[in-house]
Amino acid sequence: MTAASLIENHRASATLVGLLEGNGRFVAGEPRFKRDITAAREAAPNQHPSAAVFTCIDSRVTAESVFDCDFGQLLVVRTAGHVPDRAAVGSLEFAAAELGISLVVVLGHERCGAIGAALSAVESDTHDPRSDYLVEQLWQPASQALSEIESEPDAASHAMRLQVRRTVADLDRRSSLEGVLVVGAVYDLDTGAVSLVEQN
Ligand SMILES: [Zn+2]
């Protein structure tokens, strides 16, 4: 590891610790940032995000609140089931190249509708034209989860974690994101807590 990459890695680790501390404030009901119009105006001239969160479109998962970040601190990319399609990956590449982020957190969540749709499709071996693209993208983790765990909701939780790991692995092997630390995490809808997912 070169000195430059060591420093970069240290910066990413410190950023991750900062996000997890923000989540601690969120869970404790003691957020530091109000994100009101005054904060928006103060942040308006420029932005200095240090991290990106790649998460699901779910309306209950609001990354800026979950990590207690202010305007201009966090770049958020969202697709249903955090499927790393071209636009999402291109956005993260842009964030790394142009905005200098050192960290990407892939954030899954419990009771994910996209994962649930994929599980139903695998179980019944049918496709719904309204969600065909997503089902296709999420078929592998859904079918693997069902082959390893039969009962719901455990299978859904397992499939979601598999999809977090797949997304992390996908981003990790891209040379365009070289030097960016990519970690997986899960958001608990009930407690508000974020926990890291080992890549194993
Ligand atoms: Zn979801």
Side-chain angles (χ1 to χ4, degrees), residues 14-188:
T15 300
L16 178 60
V17 168
L19 288 183
L20 295 176
E21 284 173 354
N23 179 243
R25 293 194 298 273
F26 171 67
V27 170
E30 296 168 351
R32 178 180 297 165
F33 301 110
K34 284 162 67 180
R35 289 189 302 281
D36 58 8
I37 186 61
T38 306
R41 284 175 183 150
E42 279 172 8
N46 46 48
Q47 60 168 334
H48 302 286
S50 52
V53 173
F54 181 24
T55 190
C56 182
I57 60 168
D58 194 291
S59 60
R60 298 164 293 182
V61 183
T62 307
E64 292 86 346
S65 295
V66 166
F67 291 111
D68 187 30
C69 287
D70 207 354
F71 291 100
Q73 293 182 343
L74 201 61
L75 200 143
V76 184
V77 177
R78 304 176 72 147
T79 65
H82 38 87
V83 167
D85 67 11
R86 267 192 84 181
V89 173
S91 300
L92 292 169
E93 289 170 341
F94 175 79
E98 301 298 326
L99 298 169
I101 58 150
S102 61
L103 171 72
V104 174
V105 178
V106 176
L107 184 66
H109 69 100
E110 303 292 351
R111 302 195 289 281
C112 178
I115 300 279
L119 287 166
S120 299
V122 171
E123 277 181 310
S124 59
D125 201 20
T126 56
H127 280 224
D128 179 341
R130 291 170 303 178
S131 57
D132 256 1
Y133 173 76
L134 279 179
V135 166
E136 185 188 303
Q137 298 297 314
L138 296 169
W139 190 274
Q140 195 281 328
S143 56
Q144 185 182 338
L146 284 169
S147 71
E148 291 172 357
I149 296 175
E150 282 178 17
S151 64
E152 293 269 3
D154 295 348
S157 186
H158 185 43
M160 179 268 292
R161 283 173 168 74
L162 289 171
Q163 174 60 7
V164 167
R165 292 193 184 104
R166 277 178 93 219
T167 306
V168 170
D170 180 297
L171 298 177
D172 234 359
R173 64 175 166 259
R174 291 175 187 267
S175 57
S176 53
L177 292 174
E178 200 178 338
V180 175
L181 178 66
V182 184
V183 298
V186 170
Y187 174 61
D188 187 315

